Amino acid sequence: LPSGLSQWFPELEVLDVSGTGLAELGAELLALPRLHTLLAKNNRLGGPGSLPKGLGQAPLGRSLRVLNFSGNRFAELPPDLLGLRGLQSLSLGGNRLHDIPPDIQELRSLEFLYLGGNFITSIPPELANLPSLSYLVLCDNKIQSIPPQLAQLHSLRSLSLHNNLLTYLPREILNLVHLEELSLRGNPLVVRFVRDLTYNPPSLLELAGRTIKTRSVPYAHSDLPQNLVRYLSLASNCPNPKCGGVYFDSCVRQIKFVDFCGKYRLPLMHYLCSPECSSPCSSASQSSTSQSESDSEDEASVAARRMQKVLLG
């Protein structure tokens, strides 16, 4: 960075030095008391001395809100960044990170965290101590499991975990009541989802019941057997406001929606359970493998093939 930066632009609030080949950010950066957004994507940062010392203690440490170091060479999260207590958005995607330090919990104001495209193998439980975190992106890593403590992220609205090594999700994830997007494509659990759906499609009774309810087919109680009338009365509305479908399976505890391929929202029920769960209707899991799209349920085999196409993109 030019040595006179703070003298020339003392009121500077946004600085974008992306794609300039920078290998270090000079100490002049610390003297910008109003800077709230620093973008330094696609550079050569990450070596010793690439960040100025005292970053968290300088005026910049109090003013900075958005920091983007994606596309650089950081092998670990720089300790100086953990002193940026006012930071709301941190992006370190496409670096060489192998872990997330537990001290990340010090960034109490963080709302957006992007760590996709690294070599991260695990998620520290301390990540759950970020009370304002709304968007967490951990896609394209090597993560094998999700700590149940993440259920404490009550502000979380979007969780991106696609292209990892996940085979299950903890049941506690149901407690993320504000979660709107959960991306899981490219994980082993999706392969299992497709397999189970292919061999265990919804029953003809449930498909017929959904069709009657979603298409408002008129019927009189006197025209049907009482057991069928009771079954139709058990229909529950899908909580997704964009769906409008119903489900009957009493094993369904709650539906959460998954964005597998960027365009579709599908129900995730069977995999919200512990890894030892072997039956979708076990008392441990209280989950189900039924599907949501009511307008594609005329035939179980057709539904399974369509779902498989959607899941595999």
Side-chain angles (χ1 to χ4, degrees):
L1 293 177
S3 58
L5 184 64
S6 60
Q7 298 176 357
W8 299 337
F9 306 105
E11 306 297 317
L12 193 65
E13 297 183 356
V14 178
L15 177 61
D16 188 351
V17 291
S18 301
T20 56
L22 284 175
E24 63 179 59
L25 298 174
E28 283 293 315
L29 194 66
L30 304 180
L32 297 172
R34 296 180 179 272
L35 190 69
H36 58 72
T37 300
L38 173 59
L39 309 177
K41 302 179 292 181
N42 304 323
N43 283 300
R44 295 185 290 121
L45 301 172
S50 61
L51 299 182
K53 294 182 179 180
L55 185 62
Q57 288 71 42
L60 178 65
R62 294 187 293 272
S63 65
L64 204 59
R65 297 291 180 267
V66 178
L67 182 59
N68 193 327
F69 282 159
S70 291
N72 279 281
R73 303 176 180 180
F74 289 101
E76 61 181 16
L77 193 68
D80 285 335
L81 297 188
L82 300 176
L84 302 174
R85 301 302 171 85
L87 200 63
Q88 297 174 353
S89 176
L90 175 60
S91 299
L92 277 161
N95 276 271
R96 302 171 181 176
L97 303 177
H98 283 79
D99 54 42
I100 305 172
D103 287 344
I104 198 168
Q105 64 183 333
E106 301 298 327
L107 299 177
R108 303 282 293 176
S109 300
L110 207 59
E111 299 175 6
F112 178 91
L113 178 59
Y114 191 107
L115 298 176
N118 283 284
F119 303 95
I120 298 169
T121 57
S122 62
I123 302 173
E126 289 80 3
L127 192 63
N129 297 329
L130 298 176
S132 301
L133 193 64
S134 299
Y135 298 89
L136 176 58
V137 181
L138 295 169
C139 60
D140 300 290
N141 279 288
K142 299 181 181 297
I143 298 170
Q144 300 183 41
S145 63
I146 305 299
Q149 288 85 350
L150 286 196
Q152 300 170 21
L153 292 173
H154 298 302
S155 298
L156 198 63
R157 305 179 71 88
S158 178
L159 176 58
S160 295
L161 293 166
H162 51 271
N163 298 331
N164 276 285
L165 301 175
L166 297 171
T167 56
Y168 72 96
L169 292 179
R171 186 175 51 195
E172 288 81 359
I173 203 170
L174 285 169
N175 296 325
L176 295 173
V177 294
H178 296 295
L179 192 66
E180 298 174 352
E181 296 178 345
L182 175 58
S183 181
L184 291 169
R185 67 183 183 274
N187 281 281
L189 70 84
V190 176
V191 176
R192 195 172 70 179
F193 188 101
V194 173
R195 183 195 63 201
D196 289 355
L197 183 63
T198 301
Y199 292 105
N200 297 288
S203 68
L204 291 177
L205 177 62
E206 176 150 349
L207 293 177
R210 292 189 197 186
T211 300
I212 291 172
K213 285 295 184 178
T214 56
R215 298 183 181 179
S216 301
V217 177
Y219 64 91
H221 290 189
S222 58
D223 297 334
L224 300 175
Q226 288 303 305
N227 63 332
L228 185 54
V229 172
R230 285 193 298 270
Y231 182 80
L232 290 172
S233 68
L234 295 175
S236 299
N237 292 325
C238 177
N240 181 4
K242 298 180 180 180
C243 176
V246 298
Y247 60 90
F248 292 86
D249 197 318
S250 61
C251 290
V252 175
R253 175 182 173 186
Q254 184 172 348
I255 296 179
K256 287 293 178 181
F257 284 84
V258 186
D259 181 358
F260 278 98
C261 49
K263 299 189 337 187
Y264 299 91
R265 296 287 182 86
L266 304 174
L268 176 66
M269 292 173 274
H270 182 55
Y271 297 103
L272 297 176
C273 58
S274 58
E276 62 270 14
C277 172
S278 59
S279 169
C281 292
S282 69
S283 58
S285 67
Q286 289 294 299
S287 55
S288 168
T289 55
S290 73
Q291 70 182 119
S292 70
E293 295 194 19
S294 59
D295 57 353
S296 63
E297 294 164 344
D298 295 333
E299 232 178 283
S301 59
V302 174
R305 287 197 299 270
R306 176 172 294 187
M307 188 70 77
Q308 184 169 3
K309 180 180 179 181
V310 169
L311 292 177
L312 299 180

